Amino acid sequence: MHYPEVSFDERMATVEFRVGERAHITVDSDVCRSCTTKDCVHACPAGLFVPTTDGGILFNYEQCFECGTCYQVCNAEGAITWTYPAGGDGVVFRKG
Amino acid sequence: MPDDTMTADAVVVGAGPAGAAAALELARAGRNVVLVERGAYPGAKNVYGGVVYGRILDEVVPQWWTEVPVQRWVTRRATMVMTPTQALTVDYRTSAWDHSPYNGMTIYRGDFDTWLAGKAVAAGAQLVTSTVVTALLRDAAGRVTGVRTDRPGGDIHAKVVIACDGVNSFLAKEAGLLPRTSPEHTTLGVKEILALPREVIDERFGLVGDEGLDIEMLGCTSGIPGGGFLYTNLDTVSVGVVVGLTGLAAAKTRPEELIARVKAHPGVAPYLRGAELKEYSAHLIPEGGYRAMPRLAIDGMLVAGDAASMCLAAGLWLEGVNFAIGAGLAAGQTAAEAIAAGDTSARGLAGYRRRMEASFVLADHKRYRNAADIVLADRMQREYPGLICDFVEQVFTVTNPTPKIGMIREFFRAVRRNHVQLRSLARDGWRALRAFR
Ligand SMILES: Cc1cc2nc3c(=O)[nH]c(=O)nc-3n(C[C@H](O)[C@H](O)[C@H](O)COP(=O)(O)OP(=O)(O)OC[C@H]3O[C@@H](n4cnc5c(N)ncnc54)[C@H](O)[C@@H]3O)c2cc1C
Ligand code: SF4
Ligand code: SF4
């Protein structure tokens, strides 16, 4: 038995994000260019790390769960700068 | 320093179960306590699987079950051992769990955390939401004297800081108590909340009234160390997987794909037919347990809950909320006494650890300190589910006209077919017995 899965965009649309002005996570694409594993691309549950054709990473902080997976799996010093969004901003789990 | 800085007896960081419990005890002891939460409300940032084991709440409110915003009371607990096409389920049901004081309840974190923090507020704690603690304040000698927040002029000075800031605990890291990263001791949980009509849930899972079911799954994570879960709420079902970060990164599989595989499994799919996705979520879990716990008390600061790796995750168990509450209560009591005695140094706060060693919090962790290793070990994840399912399949397969070959031979056949080494099987069995004794 196989049921059609919702698309990734529909999946993310079930989550409420109060997007703050400040990017609470930033990624230094220059560091990423020399990264051979790119573990963040697969592991980030929100799918926010997108590889670019020049071997770097395009990152958008807006739909982030603030889980911490990315900085935990990234093995390149300085690639990811990770902070929490300002108080009240960011993900709002309605059920959790 | 701006004049609008606050001063309190104690500041508790994080209004999750640990923080709410700590603030409650301080407020009950008549202390002036500020509970700081970065979410817009307690629970807004929090995700878990879905079952709270409530006995520790006896220490929070008598007869808590009459008012807690429960979904269902768990009266059925099952463990599923799976391969991609097989599932062996051990299913336990008891009417002992369908009345007070109950055993476990499904409940949403938004509801539970708000309810629990409300108890602290009712006792006199001051809850400040939408506020991030960004750093520790320390004096020249290095002792913790308060916190900095992201509000303008938002320093809070206090005699004790209790860090209940969860798995990423930047406070424990700033104090040098935890390493910056520990992917080998951390798992990622991803979860879907799926809507189904209440009657459909009752029928499919064989439940009546407010009864609930909890299923734990082993062998459903495509060889990545971890497991899966399914919990029934009133009119939704929570389905998810928990996987080790190191294994997940190495496998190059997307987390939502792992949930999709569980949902499509022949042992799970019929339960979920027609269900609609209501919320997708993700959160980390500290699984290092006893051996990964940091120092719990330093000058001016205590650490409790996930921040101190107090989640008991040993395969059959995923208990974090009750441990966080137990630790929070102990931290709050210890802090209140230390403030009253005028000594909030590490020595003055040392009673915290003693309290928890005498309670389930550290006793259970100590007892099961090797259990997670066993459950997450490669063979347990990749070989044994297949061995067990194959054996059971052979036992239940009627091979007429070929005569039966007997259980023992079936077992050794399954061992061979699944390329299991008997020597490692015996060794793992022995280790498992010891780890869970
Ligand atoms: C997928 C999954 C399934 C689980 N299943 C279960 C289960 O079924 N049963 C169970 O008992 N446990 C379960 N757990 C474990 C349980 O969720 C945790 O152990 C428990 O929530 C720990 O409580 P805590 O108060 O220590 O931390 P948390 O609940 O994480 O609370 C920490 C709080 O601190 C706040 N915070 C963090 N940093 C700051 C800051 N700098 N400033 C202000 N506020 C801050 C956060 O917003 C949060 O509210 C599960 C966990 C996961 C991820
Ligand atoms: S963020 Fe880290 S893991 Fe991801 S590509 Fe950059 S260096 Fe590699
Ligand atoms: S914190 Fe989690 S959701 Fe946010 S970018 Fe990192 S991995 Fe993705």
Side-chain angles (χ1 to χ4, degrees):
Chain A
M1 236 179 293
H2 226 292
Y3 305 117
E5 272 294 310
V6 296
S7 74
F8 197 75
D9 286 349
E10 286 172 303
R11 166 180 299 281
M12 293 308 293
T14 63
V15 194
E16 181 184 342
F17 295 98
R18 298 187 188 160
V19 179
E21 304 214 322
R22 177 178 62 91
H24 63 285
I25 298 173
T26 55
V27 179
D28 185 345
S29 193
D30 289 338
V31 178
C32 297
R33 259 188 286 276
S34 55
C35 168
T36 51
T37 58
K38 301 261 186 311
D39 286 340
C40 58
V41 174
H42 295 273
C44 168
L48 298 179
F49 292 77
V50 181
T52 55
T53 46
D54 64 348
I57 288 288
L58 185 68
F59 178 82
N60 184 317
Y61 71 98
E62 292 181 10
Q63 295 199 317
C64 167
F65 290 126
E66 302 152 31
C67 67
T69 300
C70 51
Y71 84 81
Q72 289 275 357
V73 299
C74 175
N75 49 23
E77 200 68 41
I80 298 180
T81 310
W82 206 100
T83 62
Y84 287 126
D89 285 350
V91 70
V92 183
F93 293 117
R94 274 163 290 134
K95 298 196 167 355
Chain B
M1 196 183 296
D3 338 310
D4 54 346
T5 49
M6 285 169 75
T7 304
D9 286 332
V11 51
V12 178
V13 183
L24 173 71
E25 286 293 0
L26 279 151
R28 274 180 178 163
R31 290 296 156 188
N32 165 0
V33 52
V34 184
L35 175 59
V36 186
E37 167 58 46
R38 67 187 190 88
Y41 54 85
K45 302 291 183 184
N46 302 342
V47 178
Y48 83 143
V51 179
V52 171
Y53 300 94
R55 289 312 300 275
I56 187 68
L57 292 172
D58 292 348
E59 291 176 37
V60 173
V61 217
Q63 306 218 319
W64 48 270
W65 52 85
T66 58
E67 54 166 284
V68 72
V70 58
Q71 290 288 318
R72 288 174 184 263
W73 300 104
V74 175
T75 55
R76 225 185 124 184
R77 230 181 133 160
T79 301
M80 252 185 180
V81 178
M82 305 151 89
T83 72
T85 58
Q86 300 161 301
L88 169 69
T89 306
V90 179
D91 183 347
Y92 185 69
R93 183 193 277 266
T94 172
S95 40
W97 296 344
D98 73 2
H99 54 270
S100 61
Y102 301 99
N103 184 45
M105 61 182 153
T106 56
I107 188 167
Y108 297 130
R109 286 299 294 276
D111 294 342
F112 183 74
D113 291 10
T114 299
W115 175 79
L116 194 61
K119 296 293 158 199
V121 171
Q126 186 185 348
L127 172 65
V128 182
T129 56
S130 297
T131 303
V132 185
V133 167
T134 52
L136 293 170
L137 302 176
R138 302 203 203 210
D139 65 14
R143 52 162 287 136
V144 176
T145 57
V147 296
R148 174 145 296 166
T149 73
D150 70 344
R151 300 211 167 191
D155 287 1
I156 308 174
H157 296 272
K159 300 184 181 91
V160 183
V161 172
I162 307 185
C164 301
D165 51 340
V167 57
N168 284 303
S169 188
F170 292 110
L171 295 191
K173 286 175 186 174
E174 187 185 336
L177 302 177
L178 286 176
R180 197 181 67 85
T181 66
S182 54
E184 68 288 1
H185 287 145
T186 311
T187 56
L188 169 66
V190 282
K191 162 172 138 172
E192 292 184 2
I193 291 186
L194 300 158
L196 280 173
R198 181 173 180 173
E199 320 75 69
V200 173
I201 294 179
D202 289 348
E203 260 167 44
R204 288 191 191 167
F205 295 98
L207 303 169
V208 180
D210 52 12
E211 291 178 348
L213 162 70
D214 149 343
I215 307 180
E216 255 80 47
M217 305 174 204
L218 191 66
C220 63
T221 44
S222 305
I224 305 171
F229 59 84
L230 184 158
Y231 303 125
T232 57
N233 301 306
L234 216 48
D235 55 5
T236 65
V237 176
S238 301
V239 181
V241 297
V242 171
V243 283
L245 286 183
T246 315
L248 175 68
K252 305 242 174 275
T253 309
R254 294 274 322 146
E256 73 280 1
E257 172 60 22
L258 293 172
I259 309 186
R261 287 179 199 165
V262 170
K263 285 164 65 187
H265 190 281
V268 177
Y271 287 137
L272 303 176
R273 192 166 42 236
E276 185 199 343
L277 179 62
K278 285 291 174 192
E279 188 170 69
Y280 171 54
S281 55
H283 202 280
L284 294 182
I285 308 173
E287 298 215 3
Y290 194 74
R291 294 175 313 188
M293 278 182 201
R295 268 181 73 194
L296 302 176
I298 56 172
D299 289 338
M301 182 166 112
L302 295 172
V303 192
D306 276 11
S309 202
M310 287 174 184
C311 181
L312 185 72
L316 296 175
W317 294 278
L318 187 48
E319 298 177 31
V321 172
N322 48 336
F323 281 81
I325 295 171
L329 293 171
Q333 289 158 4
T334 308
E337 284 172 11
I339 293 165
D343 179 7
T344 56
S345 68
R347 190 189 302 178
L349 294 169
Y352 175 46
R353 191 176 180 102
R354 281 197 299 275
R355 267 202 169 84
M356 286 203 298
E357 271 167 358
S359 87
F360 71 99
V361 178
L362 287 185
D364 289 1
H365 266 291
K366 200 167 178 185
R367 174 175 294 268
Y368 293 128
R369 63 191 179 278
N370 297 322
D373 285 355
I374 304 275
V375 176
L376 297 179
D378 231 32
R379 284 190 291 272
M380 190 64 91
Q381 293 282 330
R382 294 164 187 268
E383 296 179 10
Y384 299 157
L387 167 65
I388 293 166
C389 287
D390 261 11
F391 171 64
V392 173
E393 180 159 325
Q394 293 316 310
V395 169
F396 288 158
T397 302
V398 177
T399 54
N400 311 164
T402 313
K404 300 187 195 304
I405 64 165
M407 298 272 186
I408 295 179
R409 274 183 63 199
E410 289 294 9
F411 182 73
F412 286 112
R413 270 197 190 176
V415 165
R416 268 199 311 277
R417 239 192 334 266
N418 286 277
H419 310 291
V420 172
Q421 301 282 326
L422 274 178
R423 218 176 327 129
S424 14
L425 182 63
R427 201 171 48 227
D428 290 344
W430 175 242
R431 282 177 52 209
L433 276 179
R434 286 170 52 93
F436 286 98
R437 74 175 182 266

